[in-house]
Each structure stands twice: as C-alpha cells, then as structure tokens.
C-alpha cells in the first residue's frame, strides 16, 4: 500500500521546488493535476499539468474522475482519481501538491493521508519569491498574496507545518517525516 501525501502552502512557498527534489527518490511520485489555467513558459502538457478547457474539466467532475477539485485564482484544479488509486496500490510515496480546499477534501476521503503545510519564512520573502519566479502578471501576484493570508489560517488542519527557509533542510525534514531518510 502506498503513502498518500498532501503538500499545501501559499503560492510561492516552494511546493513545486520541494516536490521536484523529493521526486529524485525513485520511491516518490507526484500526481499530475488537471487544470484550466494556461501553461507557463516552461510547463509541458502532461508533465506539469494536464491542461484542459473548462468544459473538459466540468465533464471530468460529472464523470467522477477527480478525487478533489477546487477553484483557485480564477482557474480550476483537480486530482485525477484513477492515477491516485493506481499509485496507492503500489509501495510508493504519492505526492499531491494541492491548495487548501482540495486538501480538506482529500483529508476527509483519505484520513490516512499525511498532510504537510509549507510555510514561507515571512510574508516579505513570499512576495520576493513570487516576484523572482516572475511568471504571474502583477495582478495575479497580488491576488495570490491575498489568498495566502486565507490559506495560512488553515495550517493547523495539517499534520505538519514546515518552514521553507533553507531548501535542503526543508527537503530533509520532509524526507524524515515520510520515513525516506
Ligand atoms: P510554489 O510551487 O509553492 O508556488 P515554487 O516552488 O514555484 O513555489 O517557488 C517559488 C520561487 O521560490 C521559485 O523561484 C523557487 O526557486 C524559489 N524557492 C523555493 N524554495 C526556496 C528556498 N528555500 N529558498 C530560496 N528560494 C526558494
Ligand atoms: P499554480 O497555478 O501556481 O500552478 O497552482 C495554484 C495552486 O493550485 C497551488 O496552490 C497548487 O498547489 C494548487 N493545485 C495544483 N494542482 C491542484 C489540484 O489538483 N487540486 C487542487 N485543489 N489544487 C491544486
């Protein structure tokens, strides 16, 4: 039986970066979400996300193909249920890099899931990291920072909170939590 792991945290807290490093371990796989958001420059369809239209997304909800879904910053995001079931049948660590609303749905459906909330060292650093990623329009960035305040209110619902200051330390801490160290 695989291990289901939720990684949440405000946009810019380092989820994607941390998950990529965790995925270097052959035991770790990350779920590929479905989204209606437009791809960023470096994002390939089927790798970063499955990019779909709003109609396609709604059809997936109707057919029960998503384990959870949420609207974030004007786009829809969801976790494909079949890939999740297949992953859990194997002895792997399966990462769901998802926002808070989706995380709460997974906690309800899969109480055995390990949930980790990634925190930025402080708000200023979060803003700087979002700016440094430099992929979001300014308005989008402001909205993401506003959503961050709401998301932080849910941190106590998670099994673990990890402050992502030093990247290597963060990854090692999470590897320990997941018994990978
Ligand atoms: P998220 O997926 O949570 O939105 P990202 O992984 O895209 O966040 O990280 C946002 C930016 O912060 C990226 O430019 C990334 O390289 C940088 N970053 C992530 N973690 C750290 C860290 N511990 N120290 C410094 N920069 C970091
Ligand atoms: P981004 O647009 O920065 O890639 O993602 C925006 C937010 O959506 C992030 O918090 C990310 O973790 C979250 N997200 C990505 N995939 C999913 C998903 O499948 N479900 C949910 N609920 N959130 C997701």
């Amino acid at each position: 039986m695989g291990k289901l792991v939720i990684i949440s945290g405000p946009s810019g807290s380092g989820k994607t970066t941390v998950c990529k490093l965790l995925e270097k371990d052959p035991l770790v796989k990350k779920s590929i979400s479905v989204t209606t958001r437009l791809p960023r420059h470096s994002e390939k369809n089927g790798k970063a996300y499955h990019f779909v239209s709003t109609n396609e997304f709604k059809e997936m909800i109707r057919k029960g193909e998503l384990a959870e879904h949420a609207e974030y910053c004007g786009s829809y995001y969801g976790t494909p249920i079949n890939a999740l079931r297949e992953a859990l049948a194997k002895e792997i660590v399966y990462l769901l890099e998802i926002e808070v609303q989706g995380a709460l749905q997974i906690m309800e459906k899969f109480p055995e899931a390990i949930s980790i909330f990634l925190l930025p060292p402080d708000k200023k650093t979060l803003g700087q990291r979002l700016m440094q990623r430099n992929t979001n329009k300014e308005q989008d960035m402001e909205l993401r920072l506003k959503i961050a305040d709401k998301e932080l209110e849910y941190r106590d619902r998670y099994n673990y909170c990890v402050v992502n200051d030093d990247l290597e330390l963060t990854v090692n801490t999470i590897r320990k939590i997941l018994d990978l160290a």
Side-chain angles (χ1 to χ4, degrees), residues 10-17 97 129 132-133 164-167:
S11 187
S13 59
K15 301 180 296 294
T16 306
T17 309
E97 187 210 313
R129 285 187 187 166
Q132 167 194 320
R133 191 170 69 197
N164 179 24
D165 195 350
D166 177 82
L167 188 56

Side-chain angles (χ1 to χ4, degrees), residues 9-10 12-13 117-123 125-127 129 152 162-165:
S13 59
F117 194 93
L118 212 54
L119 287 157
D122 51 60
K123 193 111 196 261
T125 312
L126 183 67
R129 285 187 187 166
L152 286 164
V162 177
V163 178
N164 179 24
D165 195 350

Side-chain angles (χ1 to χ4, degrees), residues 1-5 26-30 83-84 86-95 180:
M1 188 72 184
K3 229 179 233 177
L4 186 58
V5 180
L27 279 178
V28 179
K29 292 263 170 301
K30 193 174 109 170
L84 188 153
E86 280 166 27
L88 289 188
K90 299 178 195 151
E91 290 288 316
I92 60 165
V93 171
Y94 198 57
L95 304 178
L180 288 165

Side-chain angles (χ1 to χ4, degrees), residues 18 22 32 39 74 89 92 153 173 179:
V18 167
L22 289 169
I32 301 174
I92 60 165
E153 290 174 14
T173 303
D179 280 334

Side-chain angles (χ1 to χ4, degrees), residues 15 33 37 40 49 68 77-79 97-99 144:
K15 301 180 296 294
S33 297
R37 154 164 97 54
R40 289 180 190 139
Y49 282 104
E68 59 72 35
Y77 297 81
T79 302
E97 187 210 313
I98 60 177
E99 53 68 68
R144 280 169 183 256

